[in-house]
Amino acid sequence: MSTPITLKHINKLAIPALISGVSEPILSITDTAIVGNMPVDATESLAAVGIVGAFISMLIWVLGQTRSAISSIVSQYVGADNLEKVKNLPAQAIFIITSLSILIIFMTYPFADSIFKLYNASDLILKYSVDYYRIRVFGFPFTLFTIAVFGTFRGLQNTFYPMIIAIVGATANIVLDFVLVFGIEGFIPAMNIKGAAYASVIAQLLMALVSAYFLLTKTTIPLRFSLPFNNEIKRFLLMIVNLFIRTLALNVTLYNASAFSTSYGKEYIAAYTIAINLWFLGAFIIDGYASAGNILSGKLYGAKDYSKLITLSNQLIKYGIIVGAVMAVVGALVYYPIGTVFTKDEAVLNEFYKVFWMVLAMQPLCALAFIFDGMFKGLGKMKTLRNVLLFSTFLVFVPILFWLDSLDYKLYAIFIAFTFWIIARGLPLIIKFRKEFLPLSQKG
């Protein structure tokens, strides 16, 4: 790879990836902010959006791992200057993953009531959760289609078009949220929480259409499914299986956090919903640099340029920590005003302000964990990522959460457990990466 690993080169990939990545939590945060300010049942609706958001995020993260698998394989073939051999892989991956998403709709739609009871939802919160989910779930295939296209562009070392697609989707979602939730007098009736769900589905459909357009007009990658399967389909599916297991472990964390906060009462789940959505926003901002690590590490690994791989990791650590620290400072400056964006309920705000400082303090730690997470995805080392997350979830997060919950720490228990979980995710990856690639870089 002749291009040097400079801040300019990293930012060329990271900044568009950051913007496109932020669109995902913006969709959730928009729903959260607008629903939290509805004139009726705002707290119950906010809680419902948080519960459904946790479940839908689980589904997306389980099947959305297509992006990392496609990106890893395509970027390695780009590095080896042999892209032609995997040109039909993205269309095959998209076919497999969207077929699974349709199956999941059929499997979950009739049982929405039972699913959200598992999250301790009841009464009005349960009703709103079911109403919201039975609309939003139809955006699921469109989301997975878009994610797979994003993975293809990342493999091709391009984050510009995903950024454009994400901006289109996020803008549409914000406008539609206002129109459909609150209505336009004399034209569109106020749909309340159902309006937020319809807004998300329409935005996801629009993103899928724009994604297909850019892939077909700006690349040589076809979208038509064809047989026989590509030789890399086995490696792709193995990556997906490892990432699937990893994501199940991730969602054990998110499920327990959501279920515990719901069990404390509606003020707690509403406060948790605001805090976790802001945590996701921070995570996706940092993910811009993790995405650059993903994209560049795959290409460097394919080109066997190990010295630049070490240089890349060193620079990403520095930039990631700086970005994480800046986000923590910005969050501290708007500590109290930001809560009122989402709700005016004093009981909810009181619980939110108690734990928001922990969300901010985590940001530099998240930077390290997510950047090396991205690099290992680019390297295609999904088995390592699987094992690290199984360890951090079942031997760190879950025991700490149950222990602190028994001491009646409530939301403190959840976010303290999150902090140790992040440390247990990042540290082993840094150690393993340097142990494997430092000797190889010195040989070169």
Side-chain angles (χ1 to χ4, degrees):
M1 183 177 176
S2 57
T3 308
I5 304 300
T6 62
L7 177 59
K8 181 179 179 181
H9 187 205
I10 290 171
N11 279 339
K12 186 178 179 181
L13 295 170
I15 292 175
L18 183 157
I19 295 169
S20 63
V22 166
S23 71
E24 191 171 323
I26 280 176
L27 297 182
S28 295
I29 284 176
T30 302
D31 285 354
T32 301
I34 291 176
V35 167
N37 285 282
M38 291 191 323
V40 293
D41 300 329
T43 300
E44 290 82 1
S45 297
L46 182 59
V49 167
I51 293 166
V52 175
F55 182 66
I56 287 181
S57 292
M58 178 193 73
L59 294 177
I60 290 172
W61 285 343
V62 166
L63 295 180
Q65 301 305 321
T66 319
R67 178 176 65 184
S68 297
I70 292 175
S71 175
S72 174
I73 293 171
V74 171
S75 64
Q76 288 176 29
Y77 273 81
V78 167
D81 197 23
N82 206 5
L83 178 62
E84 197 66 29
K85 283 194 173 182
V86 291
K87 283 180 73 172
N88 65 336
L89 179 65
Q92 293 173 350
I94 289 169
F95 175 79
I96 292 168
I97 216 70
T98 51
S99 298
L100 283 173
S101 70
I102 292 168
L103 180 62
I104 285 174
I105 291 175
F106 283 110
M107 290 172 61
T108 60
Y109 188 92
F111 306 106
D113 190 272
S114 300
I115 289 168
F116 296 117
K117 282 180 180 176
L118 293 174
Y119 283 79
N120 294 320
S122 60
D123 302 325
L124 197 55
I125 292 176
L126 178 60
K127 179 187 181 301
Y128 285 154
S129 296
V130 172
D131 289 346
Y132 184 68
Y133 178 74
R134 284 183 170 165
I135 298 168
R136 266 209 70 178
V137 72
F138 287 101
F140 191 40
F142 305 128
T143 298
L144 292 178
F145 177 91
T146 303
I147 285 171
V149 172
F150 278 19
T152 305
F153 273 114
R154 286 187 179 193
L156 295 171
Q157 314 294 292
N158 186 315
T159 56
F160 177 77
Y161 292 116
M163 176 187 71
I164 299 300
I165 296 162
I167 290 172
V168 169
T171 303
N173 189 78
I174 292 169
V175 173
L176 289 167
D177 256 334
F178 277 102
V179 170
L180 299 180
V181 171
F182 299 116
I184 298 176
E185 190 173 351
F187 293 96
I188 299 172
M191 299 182 192
N192 298 317
I193 192 171
K194 289 184 178 180
Y198 282 119
S200 293
V201 172
I202 296 169
Q204 288 160 346
L205 170 60
L206 180 61
M207 288 176 71
L209 292 173
V210 178
S211 296
Y213 171 78
F214 278 131
L215 191 69
L216 292 173
T217 59
K218 304 298 182 182
T219 78
T220 58
I221 303 293
L223 269 177
R224 186 172 65 86
F225 173 76
S226 62
L227 293 173
F229 280 110
N230 190 279
N231 290 335
E232 286 286 4
I233 201 72
K234 285 186 179 179
R235 183 157 74 110
F236 168 77
L237 291 174
L238 184 60
M239 285 183 181
I240 292 296
V241 168
N242 280 320
L243 289 170
F244 175 78
I245 295 169
R246 174 183 180 272
T247 307
L248 287 179
L250 170 64
N251 283 288
V252 167
T253 299
L254 295 176
Y255 165 76
N256 276 289
S258 182
F260 272 70
S261 60
T262 304
S263 70
Y264 302 144
K266 66 180 184 180
E267 291 83 7
Y268 289 93
I269 179 58
Y272 169 78
T273 298
I274 298 169
I276 200 64
N277 273 294
L278 290 170
W279 186 86
F280 284 139
L281 178 63
F284 279 98
I285 289 173
I286 293 169
D287 192 57
Y289 287 92
S291 296
N294 179 313
I295 294 163
L296 292 171
S297 65
K299 186 174 181 181
L300 291 168
Y301 188 56
K304 295 181 170 53
D305 195 339
Y306 304 118
S307 62
K308 283 187 179 176
L309 196 55
I310 291 294
T311 301
L312 173 67
S313 71
N314 291 338
Q315 294 197 8
L316 285 174
I317 288 173
K318 180 172 65 177
Y319 303 145
I321 291 176
I322 291 171
V323 171
V326 168
M327 285 194 298
V329 171
V330 171
L333 292 174
V334 295
Y335 198 92
Y336 290 99
I338 200 167
T340 59
V341 171
F342 298 96
T343 184
K344 301 298 186 291
D345 188 317
E346 288 297 328
V348 174
L349 288 171
N350 184 51
E351 296 305 325
F352 168 70
Y353 292 138
K354 286 180 183 178
V355 296
F356 185 43
W357 67 271
M358 299 178 72
V359 173
L360 300 179
M362 261 191 276
Q363 295 309 308
L365 299 173
C366 290
L368 291 176
F370 298 151
I371 282 172
F372 276 84
D373 194 85
M375 291 194 69
F376 271 78
K377 285 178 181 175
L379 298 170
K381 295 183 179 295
M382 312 310 186
K383 183 178 178 181
T384 300
L385 292 173
R386 178 200 71 191
N387 292 340
V388 166
L389 205 66
L390 287 171
F391 162 75
S392 60
T393 296
F394 292 105
L395 296 181
V396 178
F397 180 85
V398 171
I400 290 175
L401 176 61
F402 275 81
W403 171 51
L404 294 179
D405 175 71
S406 71
L407 299 176
D408 200 32
Y409 276 37
K410 293 189 168 64
L411 292 186
Y412 286 120
I414 293 171
F415 285 99
I416 290 171
F418 263 130
T419 302
F420 281 96
W421 178 69
I422 282 293
I423 293 169
R425 283 182 60 180
L427 192 58
L429 293 180
I430 296 172
I431 292 170
K432 184 170 179 60
F433 178 86
R434 298 188 75 80
K435 185 177 179 181
E436 180 172 351
F437 290 106
L438 262 178
L440 289 173
S441 69
Q442 290 164 355
K443 286 181 183 177

